[in-house]
Amino acid sequence: MSEQKKQPNYFEFYELPIQFNPDLNTVKTKFYAFSKKFHPDFYANESEEKQQEVLELATLNNKAYQTLSNPKKRLKYVLELKGIVETDEGYQLPQTFLMEMMDINEALMDLEFEPDVEKMIQVKAGISSIENQLSSELNNLVVKYDETSDESLFPAIKDIHYREKYIARLKERLNP
């Protein structure tokens, strides 16, 4: 039985509350401060153990910054940190959403066999409209969570996260 490695808490590392929209100036300030503090050149004369420890802290700092400064990565990270989303989880999207996506997938298949500029523009506009609606709903939910820490919002946030992933895959098909 393999023991799963505990994910580092980047918010704790940067002394921030767990939020979907942390103060990005603080994130940047902490990143630069730790980049200086944990720069390997300052530890060249230290023991091998100390050099390794500093290298691990520098790596943690880089990963924390990359994750917390990117809205999509940060959303997924917060959901994973809270145990709401698991890596490679098989999430079941709602049937109504899948039916809507089936229409778009059929239109995309038709376009592969019979390219049609007008139809392509319509499909792209439809996908864009769904994407904007999801983004707006998600933004409202994460702002509400950041203000209230109401964890009952997590299922809705998780659902939109997976819908957005689905839409991103559709967009990849549009722009190969």
Side-chain angles (χ1 to χ4, degrees):
M1 197 162 73
S2 68
E3 190 177 309
Q4 194 170 11
K5 192 176 178 194
K6 189 177 182 286
Q7 189 170 21
N9 187 328
Y10 301 143
F11 291 99
E12 207 172 80
F13 184 65
Y14 282 167
E15 299 172 327
L16 292 166
I18 296 174
Q19 292 184 312
F20 289 103
N21 295 301
D23 179 351
L24 293 179
N25 287 328
T26 303
V27 169
K28 191 181 281 188
T29 301
K30 292 281 188 179
F31 170 71
Y32 287 123
F34 287 157
S35 291
K36 255 187 203 171
K37 183 177 179 180
F38 302 129
H39 197 284
D41 290 351
F42 296 133
Y43 298 88
N45 297 326
E46 296 286 340
S47 69
E48 190 70 36
E49 270 179 16
K50 184 67 175 174
Q51 287 181 23
Q52 188 59 41
E53 178 188 329
V54 168
L55 183 62
E56 286 172 13
L57 288 168
T59 302
L60 177 64
N61 185 41
N62 285 326
K63 286 181 180 176
Y65 182 72
Q66 287 170 6
T67 301
L68 297 183
S69 62
N70 178 309
K72 294 258 186 247
K73 287 181 182 179
R74 185 174 58 239
L75 175 78
K76 183 175 185 274
Y77 175 74
V78 169
L79 291 173
E80 286 175 349
L81 198 62
K82 290 288 190 175
I84 307 302
V85 167
E86 294 173 29
T87 309
D88 301 328
E89 166 182 22
Y91 181 72
Q92 185 61 48
L93 288 162
Q95 205 59 39
T96 52
F97 178 77
L98 293 173
M99 294 302 283
E100 195 177 350
M101 294 303 105
M102 195 166 76
D103 293 343
I104 291 173
N105 278 308
E106 284 176 9
L108 287 174
M109 278 197 298
D110 290 347
L111 285 167
E112 285 175 23
F113 294 107
E114 288 182 47
D116 178 336
V117 175
E118 283 301 310
K119 193 170 183 181
M120 177 61 86
I121 290 170
Q122 288 174 349
V123 170
K124 282 184 177 182
I127 291 172
S128 210
S129 171
I130 293 166
E131 186 178 34
N132 290 339
Q133 182 184 347
L134 288 173
S135 181
S136 175
E137 284 177 43
L138 181 63
N139 188 48
N140 290 338
L141 288 168
V142 298
V143 165
K144 191 172 180 181
Y145 173 81
D146 286 351
E147 290 170 354
T148 64
S149 297
D150 180 359
E151 295 195 358
S152 71
L153 298 169
F154 283 149
I157 293 170
K158 176 181 181 175
D159 184 65
I160 293 174
H161 167 69
Y162 279 106
R163 289 179 196 222
E164 284 189 330
K165 284 178 72 166
Y166 191 101
I167 295 294
R169 287 193 299 273
L170 279 181
K171 287 177 70 176
E172 284 173 13
R173 284 182 60 195
L174 284 172
N175 306 310

